Amino acid sequence: MKPQTPPKTYRVKSFGCQMNVYDGERMGELLAEKGITPAQEGEEADLVVLNTCHIREKAAEKVYSDIGRLKKPDGSKPMIAVAGCVAQAEGEEIMERAPSVSMVVGPQAYHRLPDMLDKAVKGERATDTDMPAIAKFDSLPKRKRRSPTAFLTVQEGCDKFCTYCVVPYTRGAEISRPYNDLVEEAYKLVEAGAREVTLLGQNVNAWAGEDKRGAKAGLGELIHRLAEVDGLERIRYTTSHPNDMDEALIEAHGTCDKLMPYLHLPVQSGNDRVLKAMNRAHTAESYLRLLERFRAVRPDIALSGDFIVGFPGESEAEFEDTLSLIDEVHYSQAFSFKYSPRPGTPAATMAGQIPEEVMKDRLARLQARLDRDQVAFNEACVGKRCQVLVERKGKRPGQWLGKSPWLTSVWFEANAQIGDMVEVELVEAGPNSIAGRLIEPALA
Ligand code: SAH
Ligand code: SF4
Ligand code: F3S
């Protein structure tokens, strides 16, 4: 590769989960420390970071088409870095297949991006997919993000090895960031303007640490501590695993006002044979019982989940068990996917791979149920009053958008600004959002 002009502007394009969005922000902060500025909307960047996701087929294929399409107005290529989970899983292949890529950096190594950039300028291509556990967070710059909502990674990696999933391979073993670092980062985020913080982890409720007195703490205890941060009004967390739930976290939903009444708890299937083949180590029944405990302490809690249809060997009757589970839970929103064989995972070579047509049909039927419940949830909200944290402008002048405590999008007309917490009456339900009427601006 030829030496390249040092980039003046960058753009990070993040795909996949919220963890990737968080990582993308932190890579941006690293580049900003080197004096590189974010490219403006519509402007071509000198350096493009593709922060990729490997969870399903299309996500990985997209990387190569994106690399092919990246061009500056003069026809030259920007400097390209591939980061994220495809980088981790297919680093060498990317270097071979895409000669225009200068840097490949895995999710646990991106704190080294500035050094790699220096090499790239000299014309040296660099790959770093090491997994040095916690080192990354220690060498990242301080948070400067200005937004009313922020992500905070508390836990990373996964030891669960669900048989369909690449995450344990791309993100490595479960690690928890230290309690004090998290409390400190939360203060920094609030100083920078955050009023809502979403705690992130591939298995966020597996977070384990020690509080400042040295006592063992889990996510419930951490949430209680973060709730003491003045100016932090709302706490959320995602994504949880049913097997890592403990009493303290459930209890926090009943006692911590700042913890929002929303739980994203993936189940994947409502059939025990399929769950076992997925290596989920919970049953449909144990999952339902767990949800009951949340509803007991927080009756209005909104529930969300993830589903996979067409796991190898899934019969029609087994699929229908998933529909029955949905009928029991009544999710407020949920995510559902066709099974996608991921290279290197046990399920990819299992017998009984389900034809695309069958998966398509099952997904449509499953999504019809989920849509039905989402609409019903939104309709049941009509007449309620709630606080909305204003996140952005709506389409029309004077219109604003924000989130209810239950994570539904609410739009309303007001003389407001981003970051306001306003009291709204919910007046009309749509499929994906609810219209509200301003009652009063809450105290800033
Ligand atoms: N750690 C979280 C979520 C990880 S990935 C959990 O275990 O709940 C997000 C979602 O992608 C998963 O919950 C699952 O529904 C889906 N997913 C993961 N691997 C998949 C695959 N190979 N095919 C289809 N969907 C998949
Ligand atoms: Fe993947 Fe399962 Fe780990 Fe979730 S718990 S990240 S689905 S292996
Ligand atoms: Fe995708 Fe990696 Fe997240 S595979 S979903 S970006 S952990």
Side-chain angles (χ1 to χ4, degrees), residues 16-152:
C17 61
Q18 287 151 322
M19 183 81 77
N20 248 18
V21 175
Y22 174 91
D23 291 343
E25 283 167 8
R26 311 245 45 195
M27 284 189 266
E29 289 165 359
L30 276 170
L31 296 172
E33 290 250 304
K34 286 203 77 123
I36 308 172
T37 55
Q40 299 299 314
E41 193 88 24
E43 183 197 9
E44 298 299 323
D46 300 330
L47 166 65
V48 176
V49 181
L50 296 173
N51 191 20
T52 60
C53 171
H54 202 241
I55 204 84
R56 285 169 291 275
E57 237 134 14
K58 287 204 186 94
E61 272 316 304
K62 201 173 166 352
V63 180
Y64 291 103
S65 68
D66 276 359
I67 294 170
R69 249 184 292 133
L70 285 173
K71 262 194 197 78
K72 301 223 263 187
D74 64 3
S76 69
K77 285 242 175 237
M79 190 186 275
I80 303 172
V82 179
C85 290
V86 180
Q88 189 67 40
E90 297 180 12
E92 278 172 28
E93 201 183 323
I94 296 169
M95 277 299 189
E96 275 168 33
R97 236 174 106 173
S100 57
V101 171
S102 304
M103 293 163 268
V104 166
V105 61
Q108 306 303 4
Y110 64 75
H111 54 294
R112 300 193 189 129
L113 194 59
D115 291 342
M116 297 173 78
L117 183 62
D118 292 340
K119 284 194 187 153
V121 168
K122 288 190 220 141
E124 294 167 37
R125 301 174 85 201
T127 302
D128 193 337
T129 49
D130 282 356
M131 290 198 175
I134 208 82
K136 171 176 75 183
F137 293 104
D138 293 339
S139 37
L140 289 173
K142 293 272 179 281
R143 304 304 312 264
K144 292 195 200 80
R145 198 166 180 274
R146 297 216 149 265
S147 162
T149 61
F151 291 134
L152 171 53

Side-chain angles (χ1 to χ4, degrees), residues 95-363:
M95 277 299 189
E96 275 168 33
R97 236 174 106 173
S100 57
V101 171
S102 304
M103 293 163 268
V104 166
V105 61
Q108 306 303 4
Y110 64 75
H111 54 294
R112 300 193 189 129
L113 194 59
D115 291 342
M116 297 173 78
L117 183 62
D118 292 340
K119 284 194 187 153
V121 168
K122 288 190 220 141
E124 294 167 37
R125 301 174 85 201
T127 302
D128 193 337
T129 49
D130 282 356
M131 290 198 175
I134 208 82
K136 171 176 75 183
F137 293 104
D138 293 339
S139 37
L140 289 173
K142 293 272 179 281
R143 304 304 312 264
K144 292 195 200 80
R145 198 166 180 274
R146 297 216 149 265
S147 162
T149 61
F151 291 134
L152 171 53
T153 293
V154 303
Q155 180 280 342
E156 219 176 330
C158 181
D159 300 338
K160 304 283 188 294
F161 291 92
C162 299
T163 53
Y164 51 80
C165 185
V166 289
V167 172
Y169 311 96
T170 60
R171 292 275 168 172
E174 285 180 9
I175 57 127
S176 294
R177 292 181 64 196
Y179 185 92
N180 289 334
D181 293 6
L182 297 170
V183 174
E184 196 187 318
E185 192 169 325
Y187 276 102
K188 289 276 166 350
L189 287 168
V190 170
E191 250 171 56
R195 304 187 78 179
E196 173 180 303
V197 167
T198 302
L199 310 179
L200 295 183
Q202 266 88 32
N203 290 290
V204 68
N205 57 338
W207 182 83
E210 282 179 3
D211 68 15
K212 54 178 183 292
R213 287 185 302 278
K216 278 206 177 335
L219 193 65
E221 285 86 9
L222 178 66
I223 286 171
H224 278 298
R225 172 64 187 92
L226 295 179
E228 290 169 13
V229 176
D230 276 341
L232 178 59
E233 321 271 352
R234 289 176 156 192
I235 302 171
R236 302 181 186 276
Y237 60 95
T238 199
T239 296
S240 300
H241 193 289
N243 299 356
D244 291 321
M245 259 331 157
D246 70 358
E247 187 52 39
L249 182 55
I250 299 174
E251 178 264 355
H253 276 277
T255 54
C256 179
D257 292 341
K258 291 185 179 178
L259 181 57
M260 291 293 103
Y262 176 88
L263 172 67
H264 180 71
L265 193 64
V267 65
Q268 317 300 354
S269 164
N271 176 270
D272 290 346
R273 192 203 64 80
V274 174
L275 286 169
K276 194 147 185 253
M278 288 175 163
N279 192 30
R280 289 290 295 182
H282 59 78
T283 62
E285 189 54 37
S286 68
Y287 174 84
L288 291 169
R289 275 204 307 273
L290 194 51
L291 294 187
E292 270 167 31
R293 287 166 67 198
F294 279 90
R295 279 191 163 139
V297 296
R298 189 72 212 228
D300 71 333
I301 196 162
L303 299 171
S304 166
D306 289 351
F307 297 90
I308 296 176
V309 301
F311 184 79
E314 183 190 66
S315 70
E316 170 63 22
E318 289 168 342
F319 165 68
E320 283 170 15
D321 285 346
T322 306
L323 297 181
S324 307
L325 181 134
I326 290 171
D327 288 348
E328 272 191 58
V329 174
H330 297 297
Y331 291 94
S332 69
Q333 50 177 283
F335 305 89
S336 48
F337 314 98
K338 286 185 286 195
Y339 168 72
S340 165
R342 308 284 62 221
T345 60
T349 49
M350 280 181 190
Q353 301 283 324
I354 307 290
E356 174 66 22
E357 281 313 300
V358 177
M359 288 206 276
K360 226 172 130 185
D361 171 67
R362 287 182 188 168
L363 187 66

